[in-house]
Amino acid sequence: MNELQVTAALLALALAAFVQGVFGLGFAMIATPLLALFLDYQTAVMVAAVPLLVLALYWLAVNRPYLHTSGIPWTVLPGIVTGAALGVALQVSLPQQVSLLLLAALILFSVVLPLIQSRWVSASPAVSVRRAPWFGLLAGVTEAALNVGAPFMVLFAGLARLSRLQMLIALNICFALGKSIQIGLLIIVAPVAVSLELLAAGVLMSLLAFRIGDRIAGRLSEAGFQAWLRIFLLAIATLLVIRSQFVT
């Protein structure tokens, strides 16, 4: 990676971490596609995965008093573990072009997810706890294969009628568990040549931006953020499709 790529990567991580700090989610959804626009897919995944793991562990440590009394269905955990292992197998076996197209498709799914929630989730009965492992499986697969597991956890949170705090706990558990499995397995089966200096700088930049975002959480309009994010994701998905045509 040259100096321009390193600078761009750190800025992408900082932007994603700031959004995560303000609204509680969005890091992988922003960082992964941005990095994939100018880095090869496997490198982009690793550069985003390590800071997200640290951010998730940090959030869980800060909010640990709420974990045992959160009431979230812990049966989601086996699904995340299994899905993350399957996701790593998918990531290392899929061509980069296919991975970029799948990431674009997942981003488009995220764009229409609020519409699904407003029209379908609100009108449907709450899902049974017995279905939690299946949503965990889907989240784990996309978390490890495409670096983005939030959409299926957000969908599950809506269907299970989880509170916002419960949703954030479920999300960060998914991030922490999925990322730990993803990074650990990738180091073993498909190591990526990413400098430790870049990863360390990315973690520090992300933590700083996350703290800044966390301090102003609640002061920015979430409705405005959602509108901006949809436009941003549509543009990024389009660029990923275009980029996929120039890789092998």
Side-chain angles (χ1 to χ4, degrees), residues 47-227:
V47 170
V50 174
L52 179 54
L53 172 60
V54 175
L55 290 181
L57 291 174
Y58 172 78
W59 191 94
L60 291 171
V62 170
N63 293 276
R64 63 186 180 278
Y66 305 106
L67 299 183
H68 295 297
T69 59
S70 65
I72 67 169
W74 295 101
T75 51
V76 74
L77 298 183
I80 294 174
V81 172
T82 305
L86 292 174
V88 170
L90 277 176
Q91 186 193 139
V92 300
S93 62
L94 291 176
Q96 185 174 186
Q97 183 181 48
V98 175
S99 295
L100 291 172
L101 290 173
L102 287 174
L103 179 57
L106 183 60
I107 289 173
L108 291 176
F109 172 69
S110 302
V111 172
V112 301
L113 184 56
L115 181 63
I116 295 173
Q117 289 180 306
S118 64
R119 294 195 175 183
W120 175 46
V121 173
S122 59
S124 63
V127 300
S128 168
V129 173
R130 290 177 297 178
R131 297 188 181 180
W134 296 105
F135 285 94
L137 179 71
L138 291 171
V141 169
T142 56
E143 181 70 33
L146 304 175
N147 227 34
V148 178
F152 287 106
M153 289 308 297
V154 171
L155 179 60
F156 170 70
L159 288 169
R161 305 295 191 268
L162 301 185
S163 68
R164 180 167 179 80
L165 177 60
Q166 288 176 314
M167 181 186 75
L168 292 177
I169 291 173
L171 280 170
N172 281 280
I173 288 174
C174 176
F175 298 154
L177 187 56
K179 284 284 162 278
S180 298
I181 295 170
Q182 177 197 40
I183 294 170
L185 289 179
L186 285 177
I187 290 174
I188 296 172
V189 302
V192 180
V194 180
S195 71
L196 293 178
E197 292 82 1
L198 173 60
L199 292 178
V203 167
L204 291 175
M205 183 75 78
S206 297
L207 280 172
L208 177 60
F210 178 85
R211 290 293 303 274
I212 294 172
D214 187 52
R215 286 181 177 274
I216 65 172
R219 302 180 192 176
L220 301 180
S221 167
E222 186 157 356
F225 162 71
Q226 293 292 346

Side-chain angles (χ1 to χ4, degrees), residues 219-241:
R219 302 180 192 176
L220 301 180
S221 167
E222 186 157 356
F225 162 71
Q226 293 292 346
W228 170 86
L229 184 61
R230 284 193 291 272
I231 296 172
F232 172 82
L233 292 178
L234 285 171
I236 286 295
T238 302
L239 291 173
L240 285 174
V241 172

